[in-house]
Amino acid sequence: DLPSFPTRRSSGLELIAKDSGMYLRDHHSLNGTFLNGNRVEPEQDVLVPANATIRFASRLEAKLVLNVEEEPL
């Protein structure tokens, strides 16, 4: 199980931690949200890959680096 993360929401953007990974959701933001250069459709949970670039609020850009620990075989 993933540790409990608070949901972050700013300017219509939400990051959601699930057992299957980190997800991004755009809540009909004014300027849209872009994941690795592709516009995120509103109200859709989109899996965020490792080292993804998220652009939001017109010109703000963030690099999301996920440290994923693999379970031993």
Side-chain angles (χ1 to χ4, degrees):
D1 291 339
L2 287 174
S4 178
F5 291 101
T7 298
R8 305 298 288 170
R9 188 171 176 188
S10 174
S11 301
L13 166 70
E14 185 175 8
L15 290 173
I16 306 158
K18 298 182 180 182
D19 287 340
S20 56
M22 185 68 70
Y23 287 78
L24 171 69
R25 184 185 303 154
D26 177 86
H27 291 283
H28 299 276
S29 61
L30 184 61
N31 295 305
T33 300
F34 296 81
L35 177 61
N36 291 332
N38 298 306
R39 189 177 188 124
V40 174
E41 292 296 321
E43 304 304 327
Q44 301 292 317
D45 290 354
V46 179
L47 181 63
V48 179
N51 301 312
T53 299
I54 300 168
R55 187 170 48 115
F56 53 96
S58 186
R59 294 184 180 165
L60 295 177
E61 191 170 288
K63 183 84 166 183
L64 184 62
V65 179
L66 301 175
N67 292 323
V68 179
E69 295 180 22
E70 293 185 26
E71 293 188 25
L73 299 176

